[in-house]
Structures are given as C-alpha cells and as structure tokens.
Amino acid sequence: QKEVEQNSGPLSVPEGAIASLNCTYSDRGSQSFFWYRQYSGKSPELIMSIYSNGDKEDGRFTAQLNKASQYVSLLIRDSQPSDSATYLCAVNPTGGFKTIFGAGTRLFVKA
Amino acid sequence: DVKVTQSSRYLVKRTGEKVFLECVQDMDHENMFWYRQDPGLGLRLIYFSYDVKMKEKGDIPEGYSVSREKKERFSLILESASTNQTSMYLCASTEGGATGDTEAFFGQGTRLTVV
C-alpha cells in the first residue's frame, strides 16, 4: 500500500461545477496535511493546509480531514479553466521532517 | 518575495558524467529537500537536510549524494549519471521545527536528461 494514495484522473468537470479531489494515507498518526497545485511545467505551490478534523475553507477551496478514516479531500467550488492543473496531496507522517506526496490528480475544467 | 532558486532549468548530460544540481534559498529555512518527479509516481524524496552539514537519506538515495556546506545552499550530486536518472528534480525548503508542519517552497525544477 502506498503511503499517500490519490486517483490519478484525469478528472474532468464543467466550468462552474464543484471539483472533488480525494486522498487517503496510511500513517494513522499523521498530523499535517497539505494540498499543492502544480501547473504543467511548473513547481508545486501550496493552496491549503489542514491539521484538525473537519472542514477548512479559503475562498473557493475547502479542505476536509477525517483522521478516523485516514482521508483528506479538496473541494473546488465554481471551478474555472484556470484551475486545470495537477493537485498533489501531501502528508507529514508522525514525528517526521519529510513530507510524503501522492502521485497527484489531474483536473481539467472545461469552459 | 520568498525564493528557492535552482541553478539550471534544463540539463543534458552523458552517461557516466558527474552531475551537480544546485539549490539556493533566501528564506533562512532550516530544512531543505531534493525530490525527483516522474509521471505516475509523484514526488519522491531523494535526500533532505535539517541543518548545515547534516543530511538524511530519503526514499530513493541510491546513485545520489548531497552537500550542505552553507545554510542557504543544498547541492545534489549524481556521482555517475545513468539513463534511469532522467527526470525532473525539485528542490524545496521549509522552516525549522521537528513537526514539519510548515509550507514547502519549491524551486522551479531542473529537467535532467541523461543520454
């Protein structure tokens, strides 16, 4: 089992719809969770971090964390073509310096 | 504006060459990382450093070494480049602290091709 798993996609949604991206992780003691966005040919950039169970909202983005289910998700409301990118889920395992990344989900938002 | 800068955007090297990838950050961050990114495999950690002259192996250290002589600079060395090291290499840095629950800032990436 991979430490951080994501559906590779591609996920295709129409403009204005909600895009839902999902991620599961294997280390039950993990404390820190991140979503990065990576445009083609560019470096990843952080869009959301979440540390406690529940929802965290920032503009059109909502991160959801369920530690009991070892599940973290990212919702993008009112999706725009500019949201088309690969979204990387990242987790800091228990007591670790290093961040474990999932393989990423490619999102396409159709105009 | 915070910055992580990698020395080259694109590199083409021959099999067996010694290759140096340089990374410099201007944020006074304690931790620095080298990842490689391949299609379908995501970001895989090669080495990281949490202090000057300190280094730790990541998940795929074979064929690589690193050097951190100054806090702001972290170098990745391919001792004898091989074709299976053709990849995108990303350097990142984070603030200090054992919890690691801080944002990672990435360099622009170096696309290395070994022929």
Side-chain angles (χ1 to χ4, degrees):
Chain A
Q1 182 191 5
K2 291 182 181 178
E3 292 182 84
V4 179
E5 293 211 52
Q6 296 180 252
N7 187 324
S8 63
L11 173 65
S12 184
V13 300
E15 184 175 0
I18 296 175
S20 178
L21 305 165
N22 305 313
C23 172
T24 59
Y25 59 94
S26 60
D27 186 336
R28 184 171 288 279
S30 296
Q31 299 295 322
S32 310
F33 307 87
F34 308 89
W35 283 99
Y36 288 81
R37 178 178 60 201
Q38 187 175 23
Y39 292 114
S40 180
K42 301 292 187 183
S43 300
E45 56 179 346
L46 183 74
I47 52 172
M48 291 288 288
S49 59
I50 186 166
Y51 305 104
S52 55
N53 279 329
D55 295 359
K56 179 181 177 183
E57 188 174 317
D58 184 1
R60 295 186 297 112
F61 299 96
T62 299
Q64 299 174 316
L65 175 61
N66 183 326
K67 290 186 178 180
S69 300
Q70 295 173 242
Y71 177 92
V72 59
S73 65
L74 179 71
L75 300 178
I76 306 174
R77 289 181 300 281
D78 189 23
S79 295
Q80 302 296 309
S82 59
D83 295 325
S84 298
T86 296
Y87 289 81
L88 301 170
C89 174
V91 176
N92 277 105
T94 309
F97 286 100
K98 58 184 185 179
T99 302
I100 308 297
F101 287 84
T105 298
R106 293 181 66 192
L107 172 66
F108 290 106
V109 181
K110 298 176 293 185
Chain B
D1 197 18
V2 296
K3 231 174 204 173
V4 179
T5 303
Q6 295 180 227
S7 54
S8 302
R9 191 80 174 88
Y10 299 95
L11 273 179
V12 180
K13 296 292 182 181
R14 295 195 179 277
T15 302
E17 276 193 79
K18 190 169 187 176
V19 181
F20 294 85
L21 304 182
E22 306 284 345
C23 176
V24 177
Q25 51 96 2
D26 65 0
M27 297 166 282
D28 200 36
H29 280 175
E30 304 290 334
N31 307 321
M32 296 188 74
F33 306 82
W34 275 106
Y35 293 91
R36 63 178 282 178
Q37 186 173 33
D38 301 287
L41 297 178
L43 286 162
R44 293 182 292 167
L45 182 65
I46 304 171
Y47 267 96
F48 66 101
S49 168
Y50 53 88
D51 200 355
V52 176
K53 298 190 185 295
M54 304 301 290
K55 59 186 178 184
E56 293 284 343
K57 292 180 180 180
D59 300 314
I60 51 164
E62 297 78 18
Y64 303 94
S65 62
V66 290
S67 172
R68 194 166 180 203
E69 297 295 321
K70 294 184 178 181
K71 190 176 185 180
E72 67 271 17
R73 186 179 297 271
F74 192 36
S75 303
L76 179 70
I77 303 153
L78 286 66
E79 297 291 342
S80 177
S82 64
T83 54
N84 63 11
Q85 293 178 309
T86 292
S87 186
M88 171 67 85
Y89 290 87
L90 287 160
C91 174
S93 70
T94 65
E95 292 181 32
T99 59
D101 56 348
T102 57
E103 175 181 358
F105 292 87
F106 285 87
Q108 77 274 30
T110 297
R111 185 165 293 282
L112 172 67
T113 302
V114 182
V115 297

